[in-house]
Amino acid sequence: MLLAVLALISWQVAVDGPLLELDELARNTVHTVRRALHSTLLNHLGAGLSDLGGPVPAMPMLLLTAAVAARRELRAGRARWWYPVPVAVLAAVLVPLLVVPSKTWFARPGPFGVPLSSEQLGWYPSGHTATSAIAYGTAVLLLGPTLRQPLRDRLYGLTALLCLGVGAGLVWSDYHWLLDVLASWCLAGVVLWGLLRLRPRLRGGLTPR
């Protein structure tokens, strides 16, 4: 399903299709709300949430969480306690490998409509959205199994809200079109699904005593 939505959005971006009217509608709606509220606090909040999708702090947080998860797996006596670290590294590597070529291929201008310079990548898909969803999502998938269920459920919920906040902040701040963000969420969902399927094979059982 996620792949189908991603393919549909990518096709529409490539051919400048009618689905892109959603981007214009979303941008005009955001501009209307921003003018009505005229809230400096909300504007700073949008920019701050957007920054949380950058390589810093997302990637250091992912690697630190992986180290914590590995330590907890070791203390629990897991045979393959080290598995969170390579999974985290794989997730960190996948982000630029998937996003950068796509940005170059589609070469989509941003919400302000300024043509791309020779040094610029395109805006599609959103790198900050993909980075936040993949980095924070992978982090909780690695740490979650080492936690008690109530805490794990809260962590999953807060992470989902954080990733939604990053995407909303990018659209609110005119850093990205809505479809840039939606496509990256779909891409991140596919990556996380793949990592989730990989995790049980790497995790292994308890170390024999």
Side-chain angles (χ1 to χ4, degrees):
M1 179 63 178
L2 291 176
L3 276 176
V5 174
L6 177 59
L8 173 62
I9 296 175
S10 299
W11 169 54
Q12 289 292 285
V13 170
V15 302
D16 198 21
L19 191 61
L20 270 60
E21 292 179 8
L22 288 176
D23 283 333
E24 297 287 349
L25 176 61
R27 186 181 63 172
N28 293 338
T29 301
V30 166
H31 287 182
T32 300
V33 173
R34 276 212 319 248
R35 285 194 296 268
L37 296 178
H38 197 61
S39 172
T40 303
L41 177 61
L42 279 179
N43 293 338
H44 285 311
L45 178 61
L49 286 170
S50 301
D51 289 341
L52 292 178
V56 179
M59 291 307 173
M61 179 62 70
L62 168 60
L63 297 176
L64 176 61
T65 303
V68 172
R71 179 175 174 79
R72 292 180 66 87
E73 293 282 4
L74 176 61
R75 292 178 64 184
R78 291 287 177 183
R80 299 174 184 173
W81 55 269
W82 42 263
Y83 85 93
V85 175
V87 171
V89 171
L90 175 60
V93 169
L94 283 175
V95 174
L97 285 180
L98 294 172
V99 172
V100 173
S102 299
K103 285 178 172 289
T104 304
W105 175 266
F106 288 98
R108 188 186 192 194
F112 292 110
V114 179
L116 298 178
S117 67
S118 57
E119 303 86 20
Q120 283 182 308
L121 299 173
W123 263 251
Y124 180 87
S126 166
H128 277 58
T129 303
T131 298
S132 62
I134 292 175
Y136 299 136
T138 302
V140 299
L141 289 179
L142 295 174
L143 185 61
T146 71
L147 304 175
R148 294 180 183 273
Q149 185 170 0
L151 180 57
R152 180 171 67 244
D153 292 343
R154 292 191 193 99
L155 184 61
Y156 288 166
L158 288 173
T159 302
L161 287 176
L162 173 60
C163 294
L164 287 172
V166 171
L170 290 166
V171 175
W172 178 268
S173 304
D174 271 337
Y175 293 156
H176 270 288
W177 297 105
L178 175 62
L179 291 182
D180 300 344
V181 171
L182 293 180
S184 286
W185 278 336
C186 291
L187 177 63
V190 173
V191 171
L192 292 176
W193 177 82
L195 293 176
L196 191 61
R197 289 182 62 84
L198 176 65
R199 187 187 68 188
R201 301 176 188 177
L202 290 177
R203 194 175 188 206
L206 297 175
T207 302
R209 299 289 184 180

